[in-house]
Amino acid sequence: MSPARPIASERNVEVRAEAGDEDAWNTLIERHNRRVVVFLVSRGLRPCEARELAQEVWMRLVTQQRANKLPRIELPGLALAQARFLHLEAIRREKPVVSLDQARAIQAPAAEERALDRIRLGRALEALDGCGARDRELFEAAYGPDGPTHDALAARFGLSLQRTRQILCAVRAILRTALEE
Amino acid sequence: MDHPHDDQLAAWAAGELSEERERGVELHADACPACAARLTGFAKQEQALFAAAEASQGRSRTPRIPGWAWGSIALVAVAAAAIVMLRPASSPPSTGAVEAVVQIENMGRDCSLRADIAECEEEAANQGLWVPSAPVPRYEAEQACTDCGRSG
């Protein structure tokens, strides 16, 4: 199931980055770096390690773009995939006798955990169905690929900034409860 | 800083803290293994929220087909299958399909796009530059994968 296509402005920035526009890269990094850092923390890195590795992610992507090895930039997926790769590499550097399968076992969740993840996701979707259509759409937009700011969301949905944050906070709380069950 | 409350850690994961508070949480987690583990938990939850949003968006984009239409769809599917079975031998793939295959093959050679060690090492093994059973890959990164920058 692929994520929603980025809004036009996000795709425009990506296209400019594909052409080597430094400002476009800075915009994309500013927009998606936090997502990469949180992703790496979710994989067990401490915040300082996550931020360091996130910098390496962007450096790697920019270097590849300059070497014409990135025909298409789609974020945050590309950055998260690169982060996963570099984290696996870091594990293997720390434990050189670890084989590829062992490194993957360290990284990958066990089968039971994956099954639980699917069950939890189902519960989260059920909980999301219980929220109003507008609240659900707001949540989907907030967690969409272009990572809009709360100000942008408020403008898009015609809400005040405070109301936007309240709705997101409420929906998150509902989903977290569902995920913890 | 005292150990941050769960709400603060959740807010960090959601990006809702001010820069100063965010920095405070991170500095504490860097020094406190217990809070670092808690932060990992909230970060995992945040990833689950992204997954839920993505799945929900996918459901929203899938057109809902009313029950009465399924009979018509079944008839069309049977007719289409009959046409396929009765047509002459398939013609060569179109230029577009060939280009797509070439693109996929090129992507497989660029680990930054696939970001998958297996892709790189399979390529290295195919070129006789790496023994899969070896604990540490022994290959020339430049030859196997000009992107990954690893050295044997």
Side-chain angles (χ1 to χ4, degrees):
Chain A
M1 196 176 289
S2 57
R5 288 302 305 126
I7 57 176
S9 62
E10 171 78 359
R11 186 57 201 145
N12 288 344
V13 179
E14 288 173 343
V15 166
R16 283 167 39 215
E18 286 164 10
D21 186 325
E22 202 172 305
D23 287 339
W25 270 113
N26 288 337
T27 300
L28 291 175
I29 291 168
E30 192 178 322
R31 211 173 268 180
H32 297 287
N33 187 58
R34 167 146 249 299
R35 175 86 191 266
V36 176
V37 170
V38 174
F39 170 74
L40 289 169
V41 169
S42 79
R43 297 175 85 78
L45 290 179
R46 287 176 297 163
C48 60
E49 295 168 330
R51 287 204 179 273
E52 207 172 295
L53 199 58
Q55 280 189 340
E56 201 176 323
V57 165
W58 297 113
M59 277 173 49
R60 182 69 66 90
L61 292 179
V62 170
T63 300
Q64 287 153 9
Q65 180 275 314
R66 285 178 182 161
N68 295 318
K69 290 179 181 176
L70 279 187
R72 187 172 174 92
I73 295 169
E74 285 188 26
L75 296 172
L78 181 62
L80 295 180
Q82 185 71 68
R84 190 180 299 116
F85 178 86
L86 290 178
H87 185 209
L88 203 52
E89 275 289 282
I91 289 175
R92 298 187 72 191
R93 274 200 301 274
E94 286 172 19
K95 301 176 184 177
V97 295
V98 168
S99 70
L100 177 61
D101 286 340
Q102 285 171 320
R104 282 194 174 129
I106 291 168
Q107 275 280 288
E112 292 123 351
E113 197 176 330
R114 286 199 301 272
L116 277 173
D117 283 345
R118 283 194 292 272
I119 292 171
R120 287 195 196 104
L121 181 62
R123 282 204 294 263
L125 290 176
E126 278 177 20
L128 202 48
D129 284 341
C131 302
R134 181 202 59 185
D135 292 1
R136 187 173 60 247
E137 284 171 17
L138 181 61
F139 170 76
E140 288 175 5
Y143 282 81
D146 57 329
T149 62
H150 286 170
D151 285 318
L153 282 171
R156 199 187 300 182
F157 284 84
L159 300 168
S160 69
L161 184 59
Q162 187 181 12
R163 183 67 188 133
T164 300
R165 285 177 176 159
Q166 279 174 352
I167 293 171
L168 285 176
C169 188
V171 173
R172 280 197 199 107
I174 290 169
L175 293 183
R176 285 197 186 111
T177 303
L179 288 167
E180 283 169 10
E181 285 171 2
Chain B
M1 182 185 182
D2 293 334
H3 298 294
H5 192 267
D6 281 356
D7 287 347
Q8 286 179 287
L9 298 181
W12 178 89
E16 292 181 335
L17 292 179
S18 66
E19 213 170 297
E20 188 184 338
R21 287 183 181 272
E22 187 176 274
R23 191 75 188 124
V25 167
E26 291 180 17
L27 283 173
H28 181 88
D30 285 340
C32 175
C35 288
R38 289 167 62 213
L39 194 64
T40 293
F42 282 102
K44 281 184 181 174
Q45 239 181 27
E46 194 69 10
Q47 295 303 119
L49 294 182
F50 276 108
E54 190 176 315
S56 185
Q57 283 170 343
R59 290 186 311 174
S60 301
R61 286 199 307 281
T62 302
R64 295 188 180 276
I65 300 174
W68 59 262
W70 282 108
S72 305
I73 291 173
L75 282 174
V76 169
V78 168
I83 291 170
V84 167
M85 287 169 61
L86 292 173
R87 73 177 182 185
S90 57
S91 51
S94 66
T95 304
V98 170
E99 287 174 354
V101 168
V102 169
Q103 189 177 21
I104 289 168
E105 286 176 351
N106 285 338
M107 283 174 66
R109 294 176 184 277
D110 184 340
C111 68
S112 70
L113 289 176
R114 295 305 302 246
D116 188 328
I117 282 184
E119 294 274 334
C120 294
E121 293 185 337
E122 183 182 349
E123 177 66 16
N126 288 342
Q127 294 188 29
L129 297 170
W130 178 60
V131 178
S133 59
V136 176
R138 295 190 297 272
Y139 62 88
E140 293 295 329
E142 292 78 18
Q143 293 183 45
C145 171
T146 57
D147 173 73
C148 69
R150 287 174 288 163
S151 56

